[in-house]
Coordinates of all heavy atoms in Angstrom, one line a residue:
M156 N 10.1 3.0 10.3 CA 9.7 3.1 8.9 C 8.3 2.6 8.8 O 8.0 1.5 9.3 CB 10.7 2.4 8.1 CG 10.5 2.7 6.6 SD 11.8 1.9 5.6 CE 13.3 2.5 6.3
V157 N 7.4 3.3 8.2 CA 6.0 2.9 8.1 C 5.7 3.0 6.6 O 5.8 4.0 6.0 CB 5.1 3.8 8.9 CG1 3.6 3.3 8.8 CG2 5.5 3.8 10.4
A158 N 5.2 1.9 6.0 CA 4.9 1.8 4.6 C 3.4 1.5 4.4 O 2.8 0.8 5.2 CB 5.7 0.7 3.9
S159 N 2.8 2.1 3.4 CA 1.4 1.8 3.0 C 1.4 1.7 1.5 O 2.4 1.9 0.8 CB 0.5 2.9 3.5 OG -0.8 2.6 3.3
H160 N 0.2 1.4 1.0 CA 0.1 1.1 -0.5 C 0.3 2.4 -1.3 O 0.6 2.4 -2.5 CB -1.2 0.4 -0.9 CG -2.4 1.3 -0.8 ND1 -3.1 1.4 0.4 CD2 -3.0 2.0 -1.7 CE1 -4.1 2.2 0.2 NE2 -4.1 2.6 -1.1
S161 N 0.0 3.6 -0.7 CA 0.2 4.9 -1.4 C 0.9 5.9 -0.5 O 0.8 5.8 0.7 CB -1.2 5.4 -1.8 OG -1.9 5.8 -0.7
M162 N 1.6 6.8 -1.1 CA 2.3 7.8 -0.4 C 1.3 8.8 0.3 O 1.6 9.1 1.5 CB 3.2 8.6 -1.3 CG 4.3 9.3 -0.6 SD 5.3 8.2 0.4 CE 6.1 9.4 1.4
P163 N 0.2 9.2 -0.3 CA -0.8 10.0 0.5 C -1.2 9.4 1.8 O -1.3 10.0 2.8 CB -1.9 10.2 -0.5 CG -1.3 10.1 -1.8 CD -0.3 9.0 -1.7
L164 N -1.5 8.1 1.8 CA -1.9 7.4 3.0 C -0.7 7.3 4.0 O -0.9 7.6 5.2 CB -2.4 6.0 2.7 CG -3.0 5.2 3.9 CD1 -4.1 5.9 4.6 CD2 -3.4 3.8 3.5
A165 N 0.5 7.0 3.5 CA 1.7 7.0 4.4 C 1.9 8.4 5.0 O 2.2 8.5 6.2 CB 2.9 6.6 3.6
K166 N 1.7 9.5 4.3 CA 1.9 10.8 4.8 C 0.8 11.1 5.9 O 1.1 11.8 6.9 CB 1.8 11.9 3.7 CG 3.0 11.9 2.8 CD 2.9 13.0 1.7 CE 4.0 13.0 0.8 NZ 3.8 14.0 -0.2
K167 N -0.4 10.7 5.6 CA -1.5 10.9 6.6 C -1.1 10.2 7.9 O -1.3 10.8 9.0 CB -2.8 10.3 6.1 CG -4.0 10.6 7.1 CD -5.0 9.5 7.0 CE -6.2 9.7 8.0 NZ -5.8 9.6 9.4
F168 N -0.7 8.9 7.9 CA -0.2 8.2 9.1 C 0.9 9.0 9.8 O 0.9 9.0 11.0 CB 0.2 6.8 8.7 CG -0.9 5.9 8.3 CD1 -0.6 4.8 7.5 CD2 -2.2 6.1 8.7 CE1 -1.6 3.9 7.1 CE2 -3.2 5.2 8.3 CZ -2.9 4.1 7.5
S169 N 1.8 9.5 9.0 CA 2.9 10.3 9.5 C 2.4 11.5 10.3 O 2.9 11.8 11.4 CB 3.9 10.7 8.4 OG 5.0 11.4 8.9
Q170 N 1.5 12.3 9.7 CA 0.9 13.4 10.3 C 0.2 13.1 11.6 O 0.3 13.8 12.6 CB 0.0 14.2 9.4 CG 0.7 14.9 8.2 CD -0.3 15.5 7.3 OE1 -1.0 14.8 6.6 NE2 -0.3 16.8 7.2
D171 N -0.5 11.9 11.6 CA -1.2 11.5 12.8 C -0.3 11.2 13.9 O -0.5 11.5 15.1 CB -2.1 10.2 12.5 CG -3.3 10.5 11.5 OD1 -3.6 11.7 11.3 OD2 -3.8 9.5 11.0
T172 N 0.9 10.5 13.5 CA 1.9 10.2 14.5 C 2.5 11.5 15.1 O 2.6 11.6 16.3 CB 3.0 9.3 13.9 OG1 2.4 8.2 13.4 CG2 4.1 9.0 14.9
R173 N 2.8 12.4 14.2 CA 3.4 13.7 14.7 C 2.4 14.4 15.6 O 2.8 15.0 16.7 CB 3.8 14.6 13.6 CG 4.6 15.8 14.1 CD 4.9 16.8 13.0 NE 5.6 16.2 11.9 CZ 5.3 16.7 10.6 NH1 4.5 17.6 10.4 NH2 5.9 16.1 9.6
A174 N 1.1 14.4 15.3 CA 0.1 15.1 16.2 C 0.1 14.5 17.6 O 0.0 15.2 18.6 CB -1.2 15.0 15.5
I175 N 0.3 13.2 17.7 CA 0.3 12.5 19.0 C 1.6 12.8 19.7 O 1.6 13.1 20.9 CB 0.1 11.0 18.8 CG1 -1.3 10.7 18.4 CG2 0.4 10.3 20.2 CD1 -1.5 9.2 18.0
M176 N 2.7 12.8 19.0 CA 4.0 13.0 19.6 C 4.2 14.4 20.1 O 5.1 14.7 20.9 CB 5.1 12.6 18.6 CG 5.2 11.1 18.3 SD 6.5 10.7 17.2 CE 8.0 10.9 18.2
T177 N 3.4 15.4 19.6 CA 3.6 16.7 20.0 C 2.7 17.1 21.2 O 2.7 18.2 21.7 CB 3.4 17.7 18.9 OG1 2.1 17.5 18.3 CG2 4.5 17.6 17.8
T178 N 1.9 16.2 21.7 CA 1.0 16.4 22.8 C 1.8 16.5 24.1 O 2.9 15.9 24.2 CB -0.1 15.4 23.0 OG1 0.5 14.1 23.2 CG2 -1.0 15.3 21.7
S179 N 1.3 17.2 25.1 CA 2.1 17.4 26.3 C 2.1 16.0 27.1 O 3.2 15.7 27.6 CB 1.4 18.4 27.2 OG 0.1 18.1 27.4
W180 N 1.1 15.2 27.0 CA 1.1 14.0 27.7 C 2.1 13.0 27.1 O 2.8 12.3 27.9 CB -0.3 13.3 27.8 CG -0.9 12.9 26.5 CD1 -1.8 13.7 25.7 CD2 -0.7 11.7 25.8 NE1 -2.1 13.0 24.6 CE2 -1.5 11.8 24.6 CE3 0.1 10.6 26.0 CZ2 -1.5 10.7 23.6 CZ3 0.1 9.6 25.0 CH2 -0.7 9.6 23.9
Y181 N 2.3 13.0 25.8 CA 3.2 12.1 25.2 C 4.7 12.5 25.5 O 5.5 11.7 25.9 CB 3.1 12.2 23.6 CG 3.9 11.1 22.9 CD1 3.4 9.9 22.6 CD2 5.2 11.4 22.6 CE1 4.2 9.0 21.9 CE2 6.0 10.5 21.9 CZ 5.5 9.3 21.6 OH 6.3 8.3 20.9
K182 N 4.9 13.8 25.5 CA 6.3 14.3 25.8 C 6.6 14.0 27.3 O 7.7 13.7 27.6 CB 6.3 15.8 25.6 CG 6.3 16.2 24.2 CD 6.4 17.7 24.1 CE 5.8 18.3 22.8 NZ 5.8 19.7 22.8
E183 N 5.6 14.1 28.2 CA 5.8 13.9 29.6 C 6.1 12.4 29.8 O 7.0 12.1 30.6 CB 4.5 14.3 30.4 CG 4.7 14.2 31.9 CD 3.5 14.7 32.6 OE1 2.9 15.7 32.2 OE2 3.1 14.0 33.6
I184 N 5.4 11.5 29.2 CA 5.5 10.1 29.4 C 6.8 9.6 28.7 O 7.6 8.8 29.4 CB 4.3 9.3 28.8 CG1 3.1 9.6 29.7 CG2 4.6 7.8 28.8 CD1 1.8 9.0 29.1
F185 N 7.1 10.0 27.5 CA 8.2 9.4 26.8 C 9.5 10.3 26.7 O 10.5 9.8 26.3 CB 7.8 9.0 25.3 CG 6.7 8.0 25.3 CD1 5.4 8.3 25.1 CD2 7.1 6.6 25.6 CE1 4.4 7.3 25.1 CE2 6.1 5.6 25.6 CZ 4.8 6.0 25.3
G186 N 9.3 11.6 27.0 CA 10.5 12.5 27.0 C 11.1 12.7 25.7 O 12.3 13.1 25.6
I187 N 10.3 12.6 24.6 CA 10.8 12.7 23.3 C 10.4 14.1 22.7 O 9.3 14.5 22.9 CB 10.3 11.7 22.3 CG1 10.8 10.3 22.7 CG2 10.6 12.0 20.9 CD1 10.3 9.1 22.0
Q188 N 11.4 14.8 22.2 CA 11.2 16.1 21.6 C 11.6 16.1 20.1 O 12.6 15.6 19.8 CB 12.0 17.2 22.3 CG 11.8 18.6 21.8 CD 12.6 19.6 22.6 OE1 13.1 19.3 23.7 NE2 12.7 20.8 22.1
L189 N 10.7 16.5 19.3 CA 10.9 16.5 17.8 C 11.9 17.6 17.5 O 11.9 18.7 18.0 CB 9.6 16.7 17.0 CG 8.6 15.6 17.2 CD1 7.4 15.8 16.3 CD2 9.2 14.2 16.9
S190 N 12.8 17.3 16.5 CA 13.8 18.2 16.0 C 13.2 19.1 15.0 O 12.2 18.8 14.3 CB 14.9 17.4 15.3 OG 15.8 18.2 14.6
T191 N 13.7 20.3 14.9 CA 13.3 21.3 13.9 C 14.1 21.1 12.6 O 13.8 21.7 11.6 CB 13.3 22.7 14.4 OG1 14.6 23.0 14.8 CG2 12.3 22.9 15.5
R192 N 15.2 20.4 12.7 CA 16.1 20.2 11.5 C 15.6 19.3 10.5 O 15.8 19.5 9.3 CB 17.5 19.7 12.0 CG 18.2 20.8 12.9 CD 19.5 20.3 13.4 NE 20.4 20.4 12.2 CZ 21.6 19.8 12.2 NH1 22.0 19.1 13.2 NH2 22.3 19.9 11.1
Q193 N 14.9 18.2 10.9 CA 14.3 17.3 9.9 C 12.8 17.1 10.3 O 12.5 16.4 11.3 CB 15.0 16.0 10.0 CG 14.4 14.9 9.1 CD 14.5 15.2 7.6 OE1 15.6 15.4 7.1 NE2 13.4 15.2 6.9
N194 N 12.0 17.8 9.6 CA 10.6 17.8 10.0 C 9.6 18.0 8.8 O 9.1 19.0 8.5 CB 10.3 19.0 11.0 CG 8.9 18.9 11.7 OD1 8.3 17.9 11.6 ND2 8.6 19.9 12.3
T195 N 9.5 16.9 8.1 CA 8.6 16.8 6.9 C 7.6 15.7 7.1 O 7.7 14.9 8.0 CB 9.4 16.6 5.6 OG1 9.9 15.2 5.6 CG2 10.5 17.6 5.4
K196 N 6.6 15.7 6.2 CA 5.6 14.6 6.2 C 6.2 13.3 5.9 O 5.8 12.3 6.5 CB 4.5 14.9 5.2 CG 3.6 16.1 5.5 CD 2.6 16.3 4.5 CE 1.8 17.6 4.7 NZ 0.9 17.9 3.7
E197 N 7.3 13.2 5.1 CA 7.9 12.0 4.8 C 8.9 11.5 5.9 O 9.1 10.3 6.1 CB 8.7 12.1 3.5 CG 7.8 12.3 2.3 CD 7.4 13.7 2.0 OE1 8.0 14.6 2.7 OE2 6.5 14.0 1.2
K198 N 9.6 12.4 6.5 CA 10.6 12.1 7.5 C 10.7 13.1 8.6 O 10.9 14.3 8.3 CB 11.9 11.9 6.9 CG 13.0 11.4 7.8 CD 14.3 11.2 7.0 CE 15.4 10.7 7.9 NZ 16.7 10.4 7.1
F199 N 10.5 12.7 9.8 CA 10.8 13.7 10.9 C 11.6 12.9 12.0 O 11.6 11.7 12.1 CB 9.6 14.3 11.5 CG 8.5 13.4 12.1 CD1 8.6 13.0 13.4 CD2 7.5 13.0 11.3 CE1 7.6 12.2 13.9 CE2 6.5 12.1 11.8 CZ 6.6 11.8 13.2
C200 N 12.4 13.7 12.7 CA 13.3 13.1 13.7 C 13.2 13.7 15.0 O 12.6 14.8 15.2 CB 14.8 13.3 13.2 SG 15.1 12.5 11.6
S201 N 13.7 13.1 16.0 CA 13.7 13.6 17.4 C 15.1 14.2 17.7 O 16.1 13.8 17.0 CB 13.3 12.6 18.4 OG 14.4 11.6 18.5
I202 N 15.2 15.0 18.8 CA 16.5 15.4 19.2 C 17.3 14.3 19.8 O 18.5 14.4 19.9 CB 16.4 16.7 20.1 CG1 15.7 16.3 21.4 CG2 15.8 17.8 19.4 CD1 15.8 17.4 22.5
Q203 N 16.7 13.2 20.1 CA 17.4 12.0 20.6 C 17.9 11.1 19.4 O 18.3 10.0 19.7 CB 16.4 11.2 21.5 CG 16.0 11.9 22.8 CD 14.8 12.9 22.6 OE1 14.3 13.1 21.5 NE2 14.5 13.5 23.7
H204 N 17.8 11.6 18.2 CA 18.3 10.9 17.0 C 17.5 9.8 16.5 O 18.0 9.0 15.7 CB 19.8 10.5 17.2 CG 20.6 11.6 17.6 ND1 21.0 12.7 16.8 CD2 21.3 11.9 18.8 CE1 21.7 13.5 17.4 NE2 21.9 13.0 18.7
G205 N 16.2 9.7 16.9 CA 15.3 8.7 16.3 C 14.5 9.4 15.1 O 14.3 10.6 15.2
C206 N 14.2 8.6 14.1 CA 13.4 9.2 13.0 C 12.2 8.3 12.7 O 12.2 7.1 12.9 CB 14.3 9.2 11.8 SG 15.6 10.5 11.9
R207 N 11.2 8.9 12.0 CA 10.1 8.2 11.5 C 10.0 8.5 10.0 O 10.0 9.7 9.6 CB 8.8 8.6 12.2 CG 7.6 7.7 11.8 CD 6.3 8.5 12.0 NE 5.2 7.6 11.8 CZ 4.7 7.3 10.6 NH1 5.2 7.7 9.5 NH2 3.6 6.5 10.5
I208 N 10.0 7.5 9.2 CA 10.0 7.6 7.8 C 8.7 7.1 7.2 O 8.4 5.9 7.5 CB 11.2 6.9 7.1 CG1 12.5 7.5 7.7 CG2 11.2 7.0 5.6 CD1 13.8 6.7 7.3
A209 N 8.1 7.8 6.4 CA 6.9 7.4 5.7 C 7.2 7.0 4.2 O 8.0 7.7 3.6 CB 5.8 8.5 5.7
C210 N 6.8 5.9 3.8 CA 7.0 5.4 2.4 C 5.9 4.6 1.9 O 5.0 4.1 2.7 CB 8.3 4.7 2.3 SG 8.3 3.1 3.3
S211 N 5.8 4.5 0.6 CA 4.8 3.6 0.0 C 5.5 2.3 -0.5 O 6.7 2.3 -0.7 CB 4.1 4.4 -1.2 OG 5.0 4.7 -2.2
V212 N 4.7 1.3 -0.7 CA 5.2 0.1 -1.3 C 5.8 0.4 -2.6 O 5.2 1.1 -3.4 CB 4.1 -1.0 -1.4 CG1 4.6 -2.2 -2.1 CG2 3.5 -1.3 0.0
G213 N 7.0 0.0 -2.8 CA 7.7 0.3 -4.1 C 8.6 1.6 -4.0 O 9.3 1.9 -4.9
S214 N 8.5 2.3 -2.9 CA 9.4 3.5 -2.7 C 10.9 3.0 -2.7 O 11.2 2.0 -2.2 CB 9.1 4.2 -1.4 OG 7.8 4.8 -1.5
N215 N 11.7 3.9 -3.1 CA 13.1 3.7 -3.0 C 13.6 4.2 -1.6 O 13.8 5.4 -1.4 CB 13.9 4.3 -4.1 CG 15.4 4.0 -4.1 OD1 15.8 3.3 -3.2 ND2 16.1 4.5 -5.0
I216 N 13.8 3.3 -0.7 CA 14.3 3.7 0.7 C 15.6 3.1 1.0 O 16.0 3.0 2.1 CB 13.2 3.3 1.7 CG1 12.8 1.9 1.6 CG2 12.0 4.3 1.7 CD1 11.9 1.4 2.7
T217 N 16.3 2.7 -0.1 CA 17.6 2.1 0.1 C 18.5 3.0 0.9 O 18.6 4.2 0.7 CB 18.3 1.9 -1.3 OG1 17.4 1.1 -2.1 CG2 19.6 1.2 -1.2
G218 N 19.2 2.4 1.9 CA 20.2 3.1 2.7 C 19.6 3.8 4.0 O 20.3 4.2 4.8
E219 N 18.3 3.8 4.1 CA 17.6 4.4 5.3 C 17.8 3.5 6.5 O 18.0 4.0 7.6 CB 16.2 4.7 5.0 CG 15.9 5.9 4.1 CD 16.3 7.2 4.7 OE1 16.5 7.3 5.9 OE2 16.3 8.2 3.9
G220 N 17.7 2.2 6.3 CA 17.7 1.3 7.5 C 16.5 1.5 8.4 O 15.8 2.5 8.2
G221 N 16.4 0.7 9.3 CA 15.3 0.8 10.3 C 15.3 -0.3 11.3 O 15.6 -1.4 11.0
D222 N 15.0 0.1 12.5 CA 14.9 -0.9 13.6 C 13.5 -1.5 13.6 O 13.4 -2.7 14.0 CB 15.2 -0.3 15.0 CG 16.6 0.2 15.1 OD1 17.5 -0.4 14.6 OD2 16.8 1.3 15.7
Y223 N 12.5 -0.8 13.1 CA 11.2 -1.3 13.1 C 10.6 -0.9 11.7 O 10.7 0.2 11.3 CB 10.3 -0.7 14.2 CG 10.8 -0.9 15.6 CD1 11.6 0.0 16.3 CD2 10.6 -2.1 16.2 CE1 12.1 -0.3 17.5 CE2 11.0 -2.4 17.5 CZ 11.8 -1.5 18.1 OH 12.3 -1.7 19.4
L224 N 9.9 -1.9 11.2 CA 9.2 -1.7 9.9 C 7.7 -2.0 10.1 O 7.4 -3.1 10.5 CB 9.8 -2.5 8.8 CG 9.1 -2.5 7.4 CD1 9.1 -1.1 6.9 CD2 9.7 -3.4 6.5
I225 N 6.8 -1.1 9.9 CA 5.4 -1.3 10.0 C 4.8 -1.2 8.6 O 5.1 -0.2 7.9 CB 4.7 -0.2 10.9 CG1 5.3 -0.3 12.3 CG2 3.2 -0.4 10.9 CD1 4.9 0.8 13.2
V226 N 4.1 -2.2 8.1 CA 3.5 -2.2 6.8 C 2.0 -2.3 7.1 O 1.5 -3.2 7.6 CB 3.9 -3.4 6.0 CG1 3.3 -3.3 4.6 CG2 5.5 -3.3 5.8
D227 N 1.2 -1.2 6.6 CA -0.2 -1.2 6.8 C -0.8 -1.0 5.5 O -0.5 -0.1 4.7 CB -0.6 0.0 7.7 CG -2.1 0.0 8.0 OD1 -2.5 -0.9 8.8 OD2 -2.7 0.9 7.4
D228 N -1.8 -1.8 5.1 CA -2.5 -1.8 3.9 C -1.5 -1.7 2.7 O -1.5 -0.8 1.9 CB -3.4 -0.5 3.8 CG -4.6 -0.6 4.8 OD1 -5.0 -1.8 5.1 OD2 -5.1 0.4 5.2
P229 N -0.7 -2.7 2.5 CA 0.2 -2.7 1.4 C -0.4 -2.8 0.0 O 0.2 -2.5 -1.0 CB 1.2 -3.9 1.6 CG 0.3 -4.8 2.4 CD -0.6 -4.0 3.3
L230 N -1.7 -3.3 0.0 CA -2.4 -3.5 -1.3 C -3.7 -2.7 -1.3 O -4.3 -2.5 -0.2 CB -2.8 -4.9 -1.5 CG -1.6 -6.0 -1.6 CD1 -2.2 -7.4 -1.6 CD2 -0.7 -5.7 -2.7
T231 N -4.1 -2.2 -2.4 CA -5.5 -1.6 -2.5 C -6.5 -2.8 -2.5 O -6.1 -3.9 -2.7 CB -5.6 -0.8 -3.8 OG1 -5.6 -1.8 -4.9 CG2 -4.6 0.2 -4.0
P232 N -7.7 -2.5 -2.2 CA -8.7 -3.6 -2.2 C -8.8 -4.4 -3.5 O -8.9 -5.6 -3.5 CB -10.1 -2.8 -1.9 CG -9.7 -1.6 -1.1 CD -8.3 -1.2 -1.7
L233 N -8.6 -3.7 -4.6 CA -8.6 -4.4 -5.9 C -7.4 -5.3 -6.1 O -7.5 -6.4 -6.6 CB -8.8 -3.4 -7.1 CG -10.1 -2.7 -7.2 CD1 -10.1 -1.7 -8.4 CD2 -11.2 -3.7 -7.5
Q234 N -6.3 -4.8 -5.6 CA -5.0 -5.6 -5.7 C -5.2 -6.8 -4.8 O -4.7 -7.9 -5.2 CB -3.8 -4.8 -5.3 CG -3.4 -3.7 -6.3 CD -2.3 -2.8 -5.8 OE1 -2.2 -2.6 -4.5 NE2 -1.5 -2.3 -6.6
A235 N -5.8 -6.7 -3.7 CA -6.0 -7.8 -2.8 C -6.8 -8.9 -3.4 O -6.6 -10.1 -3.1 CB -6.6 -7.4 -1.5
L236 N -7.7 -8.6 -4.3 CA -8.6 -9.6 -5.0 C -7.9 -10.2 -6.2 O -8.3 -11.2 -6.7 CB -9.9 -8.9 -5.5 CG -10.8 -8.5 -4.4 CD1 -12.0 -7.7 -5.0 CD2 -11.3 -9.6 -3.5
S237 N -6.8 -9.6 -6.6 CA -6.0 -10.1 -7.8 C -5.2 -11.4 -7.3 O -4.5 -11.3 -6.3 CB -5.0 -9.1 -8.3 OG -4.1 -9.6 -9.1
E238 N -5.4 -12.5 -8.1 CA -4.6 -13.7 -7.7 C -3.1 -13.4 -7.7 O -2.4 -13.9 -6.9 CB -5.0 -14.8 -8.6 CG -4.4 -16.1 -8.2 CD -4.9 -17.3 -9.1 OE1 -6.1 -17.3 -9.4 OE2 -4.1 -18.1 -9.4
K239 N -2.7 -12.7 -8.7 CA -1.2 -12.4 -8.9 C -0.7 -11.5 -7.8 O 0.3 -11.8 -7.2 CB -1.0 -11.8 -10.3 CG 0.5 -11.6 -10.6 CD 0.7 -11.0 -11.9 CE 2.2 -10.7 -12.2 NZ 2.4 -10.2 -13.5
K240 N -1.4 -10.4 -7.5 CA -0.9 -9.4 -6.6 C -1.1 -9.8 -5.1 O -0.4 -9.4 -4.2 CB -1.4 -8.0 -6.9 CG -0.9 -7.4 -8.1 CD -1.0 -6.0 -8.2 CE -0.4 -5.5 -9.5 NZ 0.2 -4.2 -9.4
G241 N -2.2 -10.5 -4.9 CA -2.6 -10.8 -3.5 C -1.8 -12.0 -2.9 O -1.8 -12.2 -1.7
S242 N -1.2 -12.8 -3.8 CA -0.4 -13.9 -3.3 C 1.0 -13.5 -3.0 O 1.6 -12.7 -3.7 CB -0.5 -15.1 -4.2 OG 0.1 -14.7 -5.5
V243 N 1.6 -14.1 -2.0 CA 3.0 -13.9 -1.7 C 3.7 -15.2 -1.6 O 3.3 -16.1 -1.0 CB 3.1 -13.1 -0.3 CG1 4.5 -12.9 0.1 CG2 2.3 -11.8 -0.4
A244 N 4.9 -15.2 -2.3 CA 5.7 -16.4 -2.2 C 6.7 -16.3 -1.1 O 7.4 -15.3 -1.0 CB 6.4 -16.6 -3.6
I245 N 6.7 -17.3 -0.2 CA 7.6 -17.3 0.9 C 8.7 -18.3 0.6 O 8.4 -19.5 0.3 CB 6.9 -17.6 2.2 CG1 5.8 -16.6 2.5 CG2 7.9 -17.7 3.4 CD1 4.9 -16.8 3.7
R246 N 9.9 -17.9 0.7 CA 11.0 -18.8 0.4 C 11.8 -19.2 1.6 O 12.0 -18.4 2.5 CB 12.0 -18.2 -0.6 CG 11.3 -17.9 -1.9 CD 12.2 -17.1 -2.8 NE 11.4 -16.5 -3.9 CZ 11.6 -16.8 -5.1 NH1 12.6 -17.6 -5.5 NH2 10.9 -16.3 -6.1

């Protein structure tokens, strides 16, 4: 699962990932073949039952689960300068 601050950016990252995964060298090294049953910008899967999900911060992804979560650019530059949005409380 890969999250970003906006869905368009998350979809771009997803398309970039798919472009790499469909190269011959990637398939040769990792042996992964993408499925034609689930193949969208938001979610695509392999025939080996792995999936990549694109989402934005605040998306409803309840129930999807994930072994790995990558969060890239969760805030816009203006949000990062905001004292309220840029700070994170750790409990």
Side-chain angles (χ1 to χ4, degrees):
M156 193 174 303
V157 182
S159 188
H160 73 272
S161 71
M162 199 59 194
L164 185 57
K166 287 179 183 180
K167 183 213 178 293
F168 290 154
S169 182
Q170 289 176 292
D171 292 346
T172 300
R173 187 185 309 142
I175 292 169
M176 291 179 75
T177 57
T178 62
S179 57
W180 63 266
Y181 188 94
K182 291 180 203 175
E183 186 177 321
I184 293 171
F185 297 103
I187 294 175
Q188 182 178 347
L189 296 182
S190 171
T191 56
R192 295 182 72 194
Q193 177 66 56
N194 189 13
T195 66
K196 291 178 186 176
E197 293 84 10
K198 181 177 181 178
F199 61 87
C200 299
S201 69
I202 61 171
Q203 293 86 357
H204 305 291
C206 292
R207 187 203 189 281
I208 300 170
C210 61
S211 62
V212 174
S214 292
N215 184 359
I216 51 174
T217 304
E219 288 289 349
D222 294 324
Y223 300 98
L224 175 61
I225 300 169
V226 180
D227 183 74
D228 293 333
L230 303 173
T231 67
L233 289 177
Q234 288 172 331
L236 294 175
S237 164
E238 188 174 320
K239 183 178 179 181
K240 293 203 179 209
S242 62
V243 176
I245 300 175
R246 299 174 195 241

